[in-house]
Amino acid sequence: MKKTIMITGATDGIGLATAIKFASQGHHLLIHGRNLEKLKAVAAQLSALPANGKIESYLADLSKLSEVIALAKKVKEKSSFEHIDVLINNAGVFKVPQPMTSDSLDVRFSVNTIAPYLLTKALLSKLSDNGRVLNLSSAAQAPVDIDALLGKKQLNDMAAYSQSKLAITQWTLGIANTNKALTYLAVNPGSLLASKMVKEGFGLAGNDINIGADILIRLSIEDGVNKYSGQYFDNDKGNFSSPHPDGMDLQKSKEIIRTIESIISDKM
């Protein structure tokens, strides 16, 4: 059965590998990127695949919350698809030349944590009944400094990245606890895969990118996943597992959500 799937950060790495596999299986795709030329090239590449479904492409810089809102608005107003079955919040950043955004937020928290929350919230009316939201987490997780999340305190690259990935894992749990209509999953697709982020951040070629793409496909379309809503899938272990202890603390998850809500309160 063909599904309609939206993937952020679909022009590189895991996002691109996942999009290629989905398109090859005939699923319909909404792909997002922040570089227009790359986005056009990927859309053409996917459209040329045998058995591909319909492809739509959307341009946005997810470090800018105004563009996240504009992206959701465009999807709701312009997309030819009646609904989205799966939203994969894949876009992420690690090392960057300028760590602070125009919204006075750390770019790692903005792209890796806040933008996925804002996009998901803005697209709720577009997500199908019993739809799924997959949030890209990581094996790298560290307790969240609320001041850093708010942009009041600057961290080094690894600290900001690790905290942003625990934060998205935490809000996944918190939202799943309040919204039972959808399935929310936090996913570590695999450590040190051959993405641009790994190459730029660690200088490593990385492991087979398909390790990550395959698990995202499985969790997107496999039956029986709904019962795990709010949980964390660790692809290094190959199963649903325990994240950092803060990722299982519902009260701390609610604090992360309250903080994000305070950040986006004037954006909606």
mmCIF file of all heavy atoms in Angstrom, residues 225-254:
data_model
loop_
_atom_site.group_PDB
_atom_site.id
_atom_site.type_symbol
_atom_site.label_atom_id
_atom_site.label_comp_id
_atom_site.label_asym_id
_atom_site.label_seq_id
_atom_site.Cartn_x
_atom_site.Cartn_y
_atom_site.Cartn_z
ATOM 1 N N VAL A 225 4.054 -1.180 15.040
ATOM 2 C CA VAL A 225 4.955 -0.204 15.641
ATOM 3 C C VAL A 225 4.205 0.750 16.578
ATOM 4 O O VAL A 225 4.785 1.288 17.524
ATOM 5 C CB VAL A 225 5.696 0.582 14.530
ATOM 6 C CG1 VAL A 225 6.474 1.754 15.093
ATOM 7 C CG2 VAL A 225 6.639 -0.353 13.775
ATOM 8 N N ASN A 226 2.915 0.924 16.341
ATOM 9 C CA ASN A 226 2.129 1.907 17.097
ATOM 10 C C ASN A 226 2.200 1.696 18.605
ATOM 11 O O ASN A 226 2.160 2.663 19.373
ATOM 12 C CB ASN A 226 0.669 1.867 16.648
ATOM 13 C CG ASN A 226 0.509 2.233 15.185
ATOM 14 O OD1 ASN A 226 1.406 2.017 14.382
ATOM 15 N ND2 ASN A 226 -0.634 2.778 14.834
ATOM 16 N N LYS A 227 2.331 0.476 19.039
ATOM 17 C CA LYS A 227 2.346 0.189 20.481
ATOM 18 C C LYS A 227 3.591 0.743 21.170
ATOM 19 O O LYS A 227 3.646 0.788 22.404
ATOM 20 C CB LYS A 227 2.237 -1.313 20.720
ATOM 21 C CG LYS A 227 3.401 -2.136 20.182
ATOM 22 C CD LYS A 227 3.159 -3.619 20.401
ATOM 23 C CE LYS A 227 4.297 -4.466 19.831
ATOM 24 N NZ LYS A 227 4.037 -5.917 20.007
ATOM 25 N N TYR A 228 4.576 1.164 20.382
ATOM 26 C CA TYR A 228 5.818 1.689 20.959
ATOM 27 C C TYR A 228 5.855 3.216 20.994
ATOM 28 O O TYR A 228 6.904 3.808 21.235
ATOM 29 C CB TYR A 228 7.019 1.185 20.158
ATOM 30 C CG TYR A 228 7.200 -0.311 20.199
ATOM 31 C CD1 TYR A 228 6.879 -1.103 19.093
ATOM 32 C CD2 TYR A 228 7.684 -0.940 21.337
ATOM 33 C CE1 TYR A 228 7.042 -2.471 19.123
ATOM 34 C CE2 TYR A 228 7.846 -2.319 21.379
ATOM 35 C CZ TYR A 228 7.524 -3.078 20.270
ATOM 36 O OH TYR A 228 7.689 -4.442 20.309
ATOM 37 N N SER A 229 4.726 3.865 20.774
ATOM 38 C CA SER A 229 4.708 5.319 20.699
ATOM 39 C C SER A 229 5.350 5.952 21.936
ATOM 40 O O SER A 229 5.082 5.553 23.079
ATOM 41 C CB SER A 229 3.276 5.835 20.555
ATOM 42 O OG SER A 229 3.271 7.230 20.312
ATOM 43 N N GLY A 230 6.218 6.930 21.699
ATOM 44 C CA GLY A 230 6.922 7.612 22.771
ATOM 45 C C GLY A 230 8.258 7.010 23.112
ATOM 46 O O GLY A 230 9.040 7.590 23.878
ATOM 47 N N GLN A 231 8.560 5.851 22.533
ATOM 48 C CA GLN A 231 9.782 5.154 22.892
ATOM 49 C C GLN A 231 10.946 5.495 21.947
ATOM 50 O O GLN A 231 10.784 6.176 20.933
ATOM 51 C CB GLN A 231 9.533 3.648 22.927
ATOM 52 C CG GLN A 231 8.551 3.230 24.009
ATOM 53 C CD GLN A 231 8.511 1.726 24.216
ATOM 54 O OE1 GLN A 231 9.517 1.018 24.109
ATOM 55 N NE2 GLN A 231 7.324 1.207 24.511
ATOM 56 N N TYR A 232 12.100 4.988 22.311
ATOM 57 C CA TYR A 232 13.369 5.261 21.628
ATOM 58 C C TYR A 232 13.888 3.976 20.997
ATOM 59 O O TYR A 232 14.061 2.963 21.690
ATOM 60 C CB TYR A 232 14.365 5.816 22.643
ATOM 61 C CG TYR A 232 15.814 5.870 22.214
ATOM 62 C CD1 TYR A 232 16.257 6.824 21.305
ATOM 63 C CD2 TYR A 232 16.743 4.984 22.751
ATOM 64 C CE1 TYR A 232 17.607 6.892 20.940
ATOM 65 C CE2 TYR A 232 18.083 5.039 22.398
ATOM 66 C CZ TYR A 232 18.512 5.987 21.495
ATOM 67 O OH TYR A 232 19.838 6.055 21.137
ATOM 68 N N PHE A 233 14.115 4.014 19.679
ATOM 69 C CA PHE A 233 14.693 2.859 18.988
ATOM 70 C C PHE A 233 16.177 3.113 18.793
ATOM 71 O O PHE A 233 16.573 4.104 18.178
ATOM 72 C CB PHE A 233 14.015 2.619 17.631
ATOM 73 C CG PHE A 233 14.417 1.313 17.010
ATOM 74 C CD1 PHE A 233 13.635 0.178 17.182
ATOM 75 C CD2 PHE A 233 15.597 1.190 16.275
ATOM 76 C CE1 PHE A 233 14.012 -1.043 16.628
ATOM 77 C CE2 PHE A 233 15.981 -0.015 15.718
ATOM 78 C CZ PHE A 233 15.183 -1.140 15.898
ATOM 79 N N ASP A 234 16.989 2.202 19.310
ATOM 80 C CA ASP A 234 18.444 2.322 19.202
ATOM 81 C C ASP A 234 18.930 1.335 18.148
ATOM 82 O O ASP A 234 19.007 0.133 18.398
ATOM 83 C CB ASP A 234 19.096 2.017 20.553
ATOM 84 C CG ASP A 234 20.594 2.261 20.553
ATOM 85 O OD1 ASP A 234 21.169 2.489 19.459
ATOM 86 O OD2 ASP A 234 21.203 2.221 21.639
ATOM 87 N N ASN A 235 19.251 1.827 16.957
ATOM 88 C CA ASN A 235 19.646 0.937 15.872
ATOM 89 C C ASN A 235 21.040 0.362 16.065
ATOM 90 O O ASN A 235 21.426 -0.575 15.367
ATOM 91 C CB ASN A 235 19.554 1.655 14.523
ATOM 92 C CG ASN A 235 19.368 0.687 13.370
ATOM 93 O OD1 ASN A 235 18.788 -0.399 13.556
ATOM 94 N ND2 ASN A 235 19.831 1.051 12.197
ATOM 95 N N ASP A 236 21.811 0.911 16.990
ATOM 96 C CA ASP A 236 23.086 0.279 17.330
ATOM 97 C C ASP A 236 22.835 -1.059 18.023
ATOM 98 O O ASP A 236 23.631 -1.996 17.900
ATOM 99 C CB ASP A 236 23.909 1.185 18.258
ATOM 100 C CG ASP A 236 24.419 2.431 17.545
ATOM 101 O OD1 ASP A 236 24.579 2.392 16.311
ATOM 102 O OD2 ASP A 236 24.652 3.454 18.234
ATOM 103 N N LYS A 237 21.723 -1.136 18.748
ATOM 104 C CA LYS A 237 21.335 -2.377 19.433
ATOM 105 C C LYS A 237 20.320 -3.177 18.627
ATOM 106 O O LYS A 237 20.134 -4.369 18.873
ATOM 107 C CB LYS A 237 20.759 -2.056 20.813
ATOM 108 C CG LYS A 237 21.750 -1.386 21.753
ATOM 109 C CD LYS A 237 21.096 -1.073 23.098
ATOM 110 C CE LYS A 237 22.091 -0.411 24.047
ATOM 111 N NZ LYS A 237 21.460 -0.068 25.347
ATOM 112 N N GLY A 238 19.625 -2.500 17.702
ATOM 113 C CA GLY A 238 18.655 -3.181 16.859
ATOM 114 C C GLY A 238 17.303 -3.380 17.506
ATOM 115 O O GLY A 238 16.523 -4.242 17.069
ATOM 116 N N ASN A 239 16.991 -2.584 18.544
ATOM 117 C CA ASN A 239 15.692 -2.748 19.193
ATOM 118 C C ASN A 239 15.307 -1.485 19.960
ATOM 119 O O ASN A 239 16.102 -0.564 20.097
ATOM 120 C CB ASN A 239 15.693 -3.959 20.133
ATOM 121 C CG ASN A 239 16.844 -3.922 21.125
ATOM 122 O OD1 ASN A 239 17.187 -2.869 21.666
ATOM 123 N ND2 ASN A 239 17.460 -5.067 21.373
ATOM 124 N N PHE A 240 14.050 -1.477 20.428
ATOM 125 C CA PHE A 240 13.640 -0.403 21.314
ATOM 126 C C PHE A 240 14.401 -0.563 22.616
ATOM 127 O O PHE A 240 14.509 -1.664 23.161
ATOM 128 C CB PHE A 240 12.131 -0.445 21.549
ATOM 129 C CG PHE A 240 11.349 0.070 20.379
ATOM 130 C CD1 PHE A 240 10.850 -0.803 19.412
ATOM 131 C CD2 PHE A 240 11.122 1.424 20.219
ATOM 132 C CE1 PHE A 240 10.140 -0.333 18.320
ATOM 133 C CE2 PHE A 240 10.407 1.910 19.123
ATOM 134 C CZ PHE A 240 9.923 1.026 18.173
ATOM 135 N N SER A 241 14.957 0.528 23.086
ATOM 136 C CA SER A 241 15.871 0.462 24.210
ATOM 137 C C SER A 241 15.697 1.704 25.082
ATOM 138 O O SER A 241 14.861 2.569 24.812
ATOM 139 C CB SER A 241 17.308 0.357 23.684
ATOM 140 O OG SER A 241 18.232 0.181 24.738
ATOM 141 N N SER A 242 16.516 1.794 26.118
ATOM 142 C CA SER A 242 16.455 2.941 27.017
ATOM 143 C C SER A 242 17.414 4.023 26.540
ATOM 144 O O SER A 242 18.595 3.759 26.334
ATOM 145 C CB SER A 242 16.835 2.524 28.442
ATOM 146 O OG SER A 242 15.922 1.574 28.949
ATOM 147 N N PRO A 243 16.916 5.249 26.389
ATOM 148 C CA PRO A 243 17.809 6.365 26.085
ATOM 149 C C PRO A 243 18.484 6.803 27.388
ATOM 150 O O PRO A 243 18.422 6.084 28.403
ATOM 151 C CB PRO A 243 16.847 7.433 25.572
ATOM 152 C CG PRO A 243 15.585 7.173 26.336
ATOM 153 C CD PRO A 243 15.517 5.675 26.514
ATOM 154 N N HIS A 244 19.090 7.969 27.384
ATOM 155 C CA HIS A 244 19.559 8.569 28.632
ATOM 156 C C HIS A 244 18.383 8.603 29.609
ATOM 157 O O HIS A 244 17.238 8.809 29.194
ATOM 158 C CB HIS A 244 20.061 9.987 28.341
ATOM 159 C CG HIS A 244 20.655 10.683 29.516
ATOM 160 N ND1 HIS A 244 19.884 11.244 30.515
ATOM 161 C CD2 HIS A 244 21.946 10.913 29.866
ATOM 162 C CE1 HIS A 244 20.661 11.796 31.430
ATOM 163 N NE2 HIS A 244 21.925 11.605 31.061
ATOM 164 N N PRO A 245 18.619 8.384 30.911
ATOM 165 C CA PRO A 245 17.506 8.351 31.874
ATOM 166 C C PRO A 245 16.557 9.542 31.793
ATOM 167 O O PRO A 245 15.345 9.396 32.011
ATOM 168 C CB PRO A 245 18.222 8.303 33.228
ATOM 169 C CG PRO A 245 19.514 7.590 32.938
ATOM 170 C CD PRO A 245 19.905 8.051 31.560
ATOM 171 N N ASP A 246 17.074 10.730 31.450
ATOM 172 C CA ASP A 246 16.194 11.896 31.328
ATOM 173 C C ASP A 246 15.181 11.709 30.207
ATOM 174 O O ASP A 246 14.112 12.337 30.213
ATOM 175 C CB ASP A 246 17.007 13.160 31.058
ATOM 176 C CG ASP A 246 17.688 13.692 32.318
ATOM 177 O OD1 ASP A 246 17.582 13.029 33.376
ATOM 178 O OD2 ASP A 246 18.334 14.747 32.234
ATOM 179 N N GLY A 247 15.511 10.869 29.230
ATOM 180 C CA GLY A 247 14.616 10.613 28.111
ATOM 181 C C GLY A 247 13.428 9.753 28.477
ATOM 182 O O GLY A 247 12.504 9.593 27.671
ATOM 183 N N MET A 248 13.426 9.197 29.692
ATOM 184 C CA MET A 248 12.306 8.385 30.172
ATOM 185 C C MET A 248 11.586 9.060 31.336
ATOM 186 O O MET A 248 10.657 8.489 31.904
ATOM 187 C CB MET A 248 12.806 6.999 30.600
ATOM 188 C CG MET A 248 13.443 6.209 29.472
ATOM 189 S SD MET A 248 13.944 4.541 29.976
ATOM 190 C CE MET A 248 15.301 4.925 31.087
ATOM 191 N N ASP A 249 12.025 10.269 31.670
ATOM 192 C CA ASP A 249 11.437 11.019 32.775
ATOM 193 C C ASP A 249 10.358 11.946 32.228
ATOM 194 O O ASP A 249 10.656 12.962 31.596
ATOM 195 C CB ASP A 249 12.539 11.824 33.476
ATOM 196 C CG ASP A 249 12.054 12.508 34.749
ATOM 197 O OD1 ASP A 249 10.921 13.021 34.752
ATOM 198 O OD2 ASP A 249 12.823 12.554 35.731
ATOM 199 N N LEU A 250 9.100 11.597 32.465
ATOM 200 C CA LEU A 250 7.993 12.339 31.872
ATOM 201 C C LEU A 250 7.967 13.792 32.352
ATOM 202 O O LEU A 250 7.640 14.698 31.578
ATOM 203 C CB LEU A 250 6.663 11.651 32.187
ATOM 204 C CG LEU A 250 5.421 12.238 31.509
ATOM 205 C CD1 LEU A 250 5.583 12.278 29.995
ATOM 206 C CD2 LEU A 250 4.188 11.420 31.891
ATOM 207 N N GLN A 251 8.301 14.028 33.596
ATOM 208 C CA GLN A 251 8.290 15.400 34.103
ATOM 209 C C GLN A 251 9.349 16.253 33.416
ATOM 210 O O GLN A 251 9.108 17.411 33.068
ATOM 211 C CB GLN A 251 8.480 15.400 35.623
ATOM 212 C CG GLN A 251 7.318 14.794 36.397
ATOM 213 C CD GLN A 251 5.970 15.375 35.989
ATOM 214 O OE1 GLN A 251 5.795 16.602 35.962
ATOM 215 N NE2 GLN A 251 5.016 14.513 35.670
ATOM 216 N N LYS A 252 10.532 15.690 33.198
ATOM 217 C CA LYS A 252 11.579 16.427 32.498
ATOM 218 C C LYS A 252 11.198 16.626 31.031
ATOM 219 O O LYS A 252 11.529 17.654 30.430
ATOM 220 C CB LYS A 252 12.915 15.700 32.628
ATOM 221 C CG LYS A 252 13.498 15.773 34.037
ATOM 222 C CD LYS A 252 14.881 15.160 34.125
ATOM 223 C CE LYS A 252 15.457 15.329 35.526
ATOM 224 N NZ LYS A 252 16.812 14.746 35.649
ATOM 225 N N SER A 253 10.500 15.643 30.474
ATOM 226 C CA SER A 253 10.025 15.781 29.092
ATOM 227 C C SER A 253 9.037 16.935 28.987
ATOM 228 O O SER A 253 9.078 17.725 28.042
ATOM 229 C CB SER A 253 9.359 14.483 28.621
ATOM 230 O OG SER A 253 10.293 13.428 28.569
ATOM 231 N N LYS A 254 8.162 17.041 29.978
ATOM 232 C CA LYS A 254 7.184 18.133 29.987
ATOM 233 C C LYS A 254 7.882 19.487 30.137
ATOM 234 O O LYS A 254 7.441 20.488 29.558
ATOM 235 C CB LYS A 254 6.182 17.916 31.113
ATOM 236 C CG LYS A 254 5.213 16.759 30.852
ATOM 237 C CD LYS A 254 4.233 16.583 32.010
ATOM 238 C CE LYS A 254 3.254 15.450 31.733
ATOM 239 N NZ LYS A 254 2.309 15.243 32.861
#
